[in-house]
Amino acid sequence: MTRPAMLVACLCLLAPLVLSFSPLARPLRSPARSVVSMAKARGEGYGHLLNDITETIGNTPVVKISDKTAPEGRTIYAKCEFFNPLSSVKDRLALSIIEEAEEKGLLKPGDTVVEATSGNTGIAVAMLCAQRGYNCVITMAEPFSVERRKIMRMLGAKVIVTPKAGKGTGMVKKAQELCEEHGWFLCHQFETDANWRFHEATTGPEIVNDFKDQQLDYWVTGYGTGGTFHGAGKYLKTALPDMKIVLAEPEAAGLLKSGIATERNEDGSPKESHPAFAAHPIQGWTPDFIPRVLEKAMDLELMDEYVPIPGDSAVETAQMLARNEGILTGISGGATMYAAIEAAKAAPEGSVLLAMLPDTGERYLSTPLFASINADMNEEELDITKSTPGFQLLPQE
């Protein structure tokens, strides 16, 4: 055998060994962990090129919560809806509402789309309008975070702020007035079946597929419109009949707990503020009325357990998730995780729970979630900077 032929033969024998040590041959691993559990290897890419930003909506990941947070003998997972393109679960309903309106011929390029929102739906609607070529007008009650207004305006929306005294019903009525006056399209997120149907078609199946051949005993969620609870809950009850659904709402605004129905206009919108409503810190949850979408879900008897969220527990739990898990979710995510932890404490040992985390913590910078977080260096940080001589930015006395 000639020397070149021998060299080729040796390389063929060594190739499998060489490739097994190649960084391109297997997923990257964290230095601190022996195995990285991923649906796709890092570096593999998304898989194909997308036509527009709306194609990234959905298929959000489910992440295990560590034993630092989960009660002993129980397992908690979180479905991280902040992986949607505009960082919240509301991207789903905005896509559904706009696409359904387009299919019915209710929208054409240049039309104006209107919605009343605490922020996340408005941001999602503004994204869809920017992408599809519609004008966007959002009505939003005064107390909701200013960063939400700025994000919507960044996306090209006009944001009409309504007085605090009018609560959620005030912003809804303002949106209705504007549409009646100008002939604009109203999304009706609190009433439309397009809201919950999208969750039945996407969120529910995603959960079932991710837990295929795995145990899932409890699914935990709160409500804003009730769309996630209604649509995903309906699907899950059919696919996993032994699984229990836990629904949470603020203790200060126990609308469902009160048993008092919301009086409605012909279009399903609320006539007036609910008597059991009181101000609460969980932005995006529990407006001052029971949404029609939620009411229909309650008629289906989807709820197995109910957890009220007391006082500052939502904020404290969201902060705990950031410190213990590296998960930066909003106040509503903290509320849902609090409900999951409480449900886990009462659940049989070995139970597995899934909590919905609706959005990102970055949407709450001006709210109580970040009230204890300083922008300036504290004493401990000042001591660290003083520990070396260079580039010290010290407060002026």
Side-chain angles (χ1 to χ4, degrees):
M1 184 181 292
T2 64
R3 287 191 65 185
M6 291 178 64
L7 180 59
V8 170
C10 290
L11 287 174
C12 290
L13 290 170
L14 290 171
L17 181 62
V18 171
L19 287 173
S20 70
F21 286 99
S22 167
L24 299 177
R26 61 185 188 276
L28 294 175
R29 293 182 175 181
S30 166
R33 301 178 65 181
S34 60
V35 176
V36 176
S37 173
M38 299 183 68
K40 298 179 72 173
R42 290 193 177 106
E44 188 175 334
Y46 197 82
H48 55 277
L49 304 180
L50 305 181
N51 292 314
D52 63 68
I53 191 64
T54 67
E55 292 186 4
T56 66
I57 294 173
N59 288 325
T60 54
V62 172
V63 177
K64 186 178 181 181
I65 300 301
S66 75
D67 293 341
K68 291 181 289 183
T69 300
E72 184 177 355
R74 283 77 176 166
T75 303
I76 298 178
Y77 289 89
K79 187 163 175 62
C80 300
E81 287 296 296
F82 47 78
F83 274 79
N84 282 302
L86 264 293
S87 305
S88 93
V89 67
K90 298 300 186 179
D91 292 359
R92 296 179 186 261
L93 79 83
L95 178 63
S96 182
I97 290 171
I98 296 300
E99 286 193 338
E100 183 175 284
E102 290 172 339
E103 291 169 3
K104 292 181 176 179
L106 301 176
L107 282 175
K108 62 183 183 299
D111 283 353
T112 298
V113 176
V114 181
E115 185 54 296
T117 173
S118 65
N120 282 334
T121 299
I123 290 168
V125 170
M127 169 186 66
L128 264 293
C129 289
Q131 191 274 319
R132 300 291 173 94
Y134 305 122
N135 300 310
C136 182
V137 174
I138 299 297
T139 61
M140 181 175 171
E142 184 183 6
F144 299 119
S145 67
V146 295
E147 48 267 38
R148 299 180 185 213
R149 301 180 204 171
K150 290 185 176 182
I151 293 170
M152 287 185 279
R153 287 173 175 144
M154 179 74 173
L155 290 164
K158 305 299 182 186
V159 181
I160 310 305
V161 182
T162 60
K164 179 180 179 180
K167 306 175 189 175
T169 51
M171 68 183 188
V172 169
K173 289 177 180 178
K174 184 65 176 180
Q176 292 170 334
E177 289 177 2
L178 291 171
C179 290
E180 290 169 3
E181 176 67 23
H182 301 287
W184 294 339
F185 174 78
L186 182 60
C187 289
H188 278 292
Q189 65 162 324
F190 298 103
E191 294 85 37
T192 178
D193 290 339
N195 180 342
W196 66 262
R197 280 201 297 258
F198 196 79
H199 288 287
E200 184 181 27
T202 64
T203 314
E206 288 170 26
I207 293 169
V208 171
N209 289 332
D210 282 344
F211 279 90
K212 184 179 180 181
D213 300 323
Q214 302 290 325
Q215 177 183 347
L216 180 59
D217 303 299
Y218 296 82
W219 179 62
V220 187
T221 186
Y223 70 87
T225 64
T228 304
F229 169 63
H230 186 155
K234 186 177 179 181
Y235 185 91
L236 291 171
K237 275 293 186 183
T238 301
L240 303 170
D242 294 330
M243 187 207 67
K244 296 183 184 301
I245 295 180
V246 180
L247 186 62
E249 72 176 351
E251 189 174 63
L255 277 61
L256 294 177
K257 185 179 179 181
S258 74
I260 301 172
T262 287
E263 293 189 33
R264 304 191 183 281
N265 299 308
E266 289 186 7
D267 63 358
S269 62
K271 279 188 175 181
E272 57 189 15
S273 184
H274 196 284
F277 180 81
H280 62 84
I282 310 174
Q283 293 194 18
W285 268 25
T286 313
D288 65 317
F289 56 91
I290 297 174
R292 183 74 178 113
V293 173
L294 175 64
E295 184 180 84
K296 288 182 178 181
M298 297 304 291
D299 291 342
L300 296 174
E301 298 183 349
L302 299 174
M303 182 182 73
D304 296 295
E305 297 183 13
Y306 169 89
V307 177
I309 310 299
D312 297 326
S313 298
V315 170
E316 292 167 357
T317 306
Q319 292 170 340
M320 179 185 67
L321 283 172
R323 291 192 306 268
N324 291 353
E325 306 292 336
I327 294 176
L328 186 62
T329 189
I331 299 174
S332 54
T336 313
M337 186 56 66
Y338 174 87
I341 293 169
E342 292 303 302
K345 291 176 183 177
E349 187 171 355
S351 293
V352 177
L353 302 89
L354 173 63
M356 300 295 293
L357 301 187
D359 67 357
T360 173
E362 291 182 349
R363 207 147 282 174
Y364 297 81
L365 296 175
S366 63
T367 75
L369 184 59
F370 281 81
S372 62
I373 309 298
N374 295 321
D376 296 327
M377 287 186 285
N378 61 25
E379 289 301 320
E380 185 177 0
E381 291 164 337
L382 288 170
D383 288 341
I384 293 172
T385 193
K386 291 175 183 177
S387 67
T388 61
F391 305 100
Q392 296 181 358
L393 182 63
L394 302 179
Q396 299 296 317
E397 297 183 359

